[in-house]
């Protein structure tokens, strides 16, 4: 199973995005959020905890999406701390559009690579 | 460096960061999210629990570097915690599992964690980040240690100056980079706290 983790400085931002993804892609996806627990910010400890949670749910791979730069620093650090056993792919994509596109790809039968590709393509889609 | 000095170094850093907490927050408020001082103070304060560890005799430098790193990783939100923390964890194996190391190893430890900060933050000198202090400082330390005399009080002043010099730079990494040219005219808060760290290196190891 492929899971997804949304890393955000803001708990509400991540929760809102999860809600949106679940509405669009259904709630069968293993989808976690990390960050913004007490104050705004995301640290590696929070991300490790969510990685472990998703792994316990049976995820062999986890796609990670982040909002601003330091969410990615936290995610990369957490990946180092986690060790082996689960493939962590940190995706360079717009937080909202990218994670939605990846979720759609995963829930319509796509694999890790399809989802990453869909997420990255989101950079090319103009809104107006 | 002994384990005692290692502990003193981080206690010193905690104390001076707390003393400059508001100034660091102010610097961060100008070009970031205004919590650099608060964040670092919280993380370094949490470290007090580490020093209470009663099994003093089992303390060793490698283990301490890892523990300090892990504490920063899980208590300092934002980039600075992950950068300091992961760099210290990664540099830990450079230190011996013993209660002291020679100067050469000390320099190698600092060099390793500075390289890790650069790598993780994808930042170089000139990007208006902590690297603008850490990189030249470790290079200076390396060169002067090879010559046989690391004049740490000089380095402390240089570090302060390098931090001050970030004022003229435009940020290319971190939150401040979103400001573009408007980031010019403000000292980078990460460079300022880094200079405080070098002041502690002087205070603890300069004697």
């Amino acid at each position: 199973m492929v899971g997804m983790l949304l890393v955000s400085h803001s708990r509400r931002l991540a929760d809102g995005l999860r809600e949106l993804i679940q509405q669009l892609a259904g709630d069968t996806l293993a989808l976690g959020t990390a960050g913004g627990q007490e104050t705004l910010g995301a640290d590696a400890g929070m991300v490790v905890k969510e990685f472990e949670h998703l792994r316990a749910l049976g995820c062999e791979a986890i796609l990670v999406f982040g909002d601003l730069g330091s969410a990615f620093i936290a995610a990369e650090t957490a990946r180092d701390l986690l060790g082996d056993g689960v493939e962590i792919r940190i995706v360079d994509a717009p937080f909202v559009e990218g994670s939605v596109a990846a979720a759609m790809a995963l829930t319509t039968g796509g694999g890790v690579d399809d989802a990453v590709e869909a997420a990255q393509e989101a950079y090319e889609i103009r809104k107006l | 460096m002994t384990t005692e000095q290692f502990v003193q170094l981080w206690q010193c850093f905690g104390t001076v960061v707390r003393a400059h907490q508001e100034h660091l927050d102010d610097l961060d408020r100008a070009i970031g999210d205004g919590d650099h001082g608060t964040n670092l103070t919280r993380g370094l304060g949490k470290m007090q629990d580490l020093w209470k560890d009663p099994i003093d005799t089992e303390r060793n430098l490698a283990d301490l570097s890892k523990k300090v790193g892990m504490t920063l990783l899980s208590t300092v939100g934002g980039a600075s915690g992950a950068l300091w923390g992961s760099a210290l964890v990664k540099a830990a194996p450079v230190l011996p599992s013993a209660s002291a190391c020679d100067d050469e190893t000390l320099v190698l430890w600092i060099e390793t964690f500075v390289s890790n900060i650069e790598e993780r933050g994808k930042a170089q000198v000139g990007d208006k980040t902590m690297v603008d202090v850490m990189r030249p400082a470790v290079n200076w330390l390396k060169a002067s240690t090879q010559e046989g005399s690391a004049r740490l009080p000089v380095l402390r002043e240089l570090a302060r100056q390098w931090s001050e010099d970030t004022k003229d730079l435009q940020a290319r990494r971190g939150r401040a980079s979103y400001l573009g040219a408007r980031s010019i005219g403000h000292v980078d808060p990460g460079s300022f706290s880094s200079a405080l760290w070098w002041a502690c290196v002087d205070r603890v190891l300069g004697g």
Side-chain angles (χ1 to χ4, degrees):
Chain A
M1 182 167 69
V2 181
M4 280 178 45
L5 181 64
L6 309 172
V7 184
S8 171
H9 285 65
S10 154
R11 160 68 53 193
R12 286 191 286 173
L13 180 56
D15 282 347
L17 180 53
R18 174 161 63 183
E19 199 181 1
L20 181 64
I21 290 171
Q22 282 171 339
Q23 194 195 51
L24 294 167
D27 53 11
T28 53
L29 192 67
L31 178 59
T33 60
Q37 267 147 1
E38 284 164 30
T39 53
L40 290 178
D43 69 48
M46 302 171 186
V47 179
V48 168
K49 228 167 98 186
E50 292 306 318
F51 280 163
E52 284 168 346
H53 180 65
L54 288 168
R55 182 165 61 182
L57 289 177
C59 294
E60 298 112 26
I62 301 169
L63 302 181
V64 185
F65 296 86
D67 57 0
L68 296 173
S70 56
F72 289 85
I73 294 178
E76 287 172 359
T77 305
R79 177 171 60 186
D80 288 351
L81 294 174
L82 189 69
D84 299 332
V86 56
E87 182 193 359
I88 306 290
R89 289 275 284 269
I90 299 169
V91 188
D92 179 13
F95 192 42
V96 177
E97 294 88 336
S99 56
V100 167
M104 301 296 278
L106 289 176
T107 51
T108 52
V112 172
D113 291 333
D114 304 309
V116 170
E117 199 179 317
Q120 285 167 341
E121 276 171 13
Y123 268 128
E124 308 303 325
I125 299 165
R126 309 316 310 172
K127 294 188 188 183
L128 290 173
Chain B
M1 177 173 64
T2 63
T3 45
E4 204 175 347
Q5 287 173 320
F6 187 96
V7 172
Q8 284 167 0
L9 173 62
W10 293 95
Q11 283 176 331
C12 170
F13 192 38
T15 307
V16 295
V17 164
R18 198 178 328 116
H20 291 84
Q21 180 180 341
E22 265 182 51
H23 182 59
L24 287 166
D25 281 347
D26 284 345
L27 290 176
D28 196 25
R29 210 164 285 128
I31 56 172
D33 49 6
D35 61 3
H36 185 59
T38 306
N39 260 335
L40 267 188
T41 300
R42 188 178 57 215
L44 293 166
K46 257 282 189 292
M47 228 165 265
Q48 293 310 319
D49 300 344
L50 279 185
W51 315 139
K52 284 187 200 135
D53 192 351
I55 26 178
D56 262 19
T57 50
E58 284 182 20
R59 272 192 184 161
N60 68 70
L61 288 169
D63 191 43
L64 281 174
S65 178
K66 197 172 157 200
K67 279 188 179 154
V68 167
M70 288 306 295
T71 304
L72 291 175
L73 275 181
S74 49
T75 53
V76 184
S80 55
L83 291 169
W84 277 105
S86 66
L88 286 166
V89 172
K90 284 201 167 182
V94 169
L95 292 174
S97 296
S99 61
C101 71
D102 58 20
D103 287 353
E104 215 172 299
T105 309
L106 169 68
V107 174
L108 184 64
W109 172 66
I110 300 176
E111 158 93 63
T112 307
F113 82 68
V114 171
S115 299
N116 274 306
I117 287 172
E118 289 169 330
E119 222 170 278
R120 170 103 324 140
K122 300 179 184 75
Q124 301 171 341
V125 169
D127 287 347
K128 199 183 181 96
T129 69
M130 64 191 291
V131 170
D132 287 313
V133 167
M134 297 309 276
R135 174 46 66 190
V138 72
N139 286 353
W140 191 94
L141 179 67
K142 217 163 49 175
S144 69
T145 306
Q146 276 160 4
E147 285 165 18
S149 64
R151 296 182 308 283
L152 292 174
V154 178
L155 180 52
R156 172 195 196 139
E157 273 313 300
L158 283 171
R160 218 182 48 79
Q161 188 55 50
W162 287 322
S163 169
E164 190 61 29
D165 291 345
T166 62
K167 209 176 204 174
D168 302 328
L169 297 171
Q170 176 171 335
R172 286 195 296 247
R173 301 295 305 170
R175 196 76 49 88
S177 61
Y178 294 110
L179 293 173
R182 278 177 292 137
S183 64
I184 297 170
H186 303 280
V187 169
D188 174 65
S191 77
F192 193 90
S193 51
S194 297
L196 294 178
W197 187 79
W198 285 98
C200 288
V201 170
D202 171 37
R203 194 178 299 175
V204 174
L205 301 167

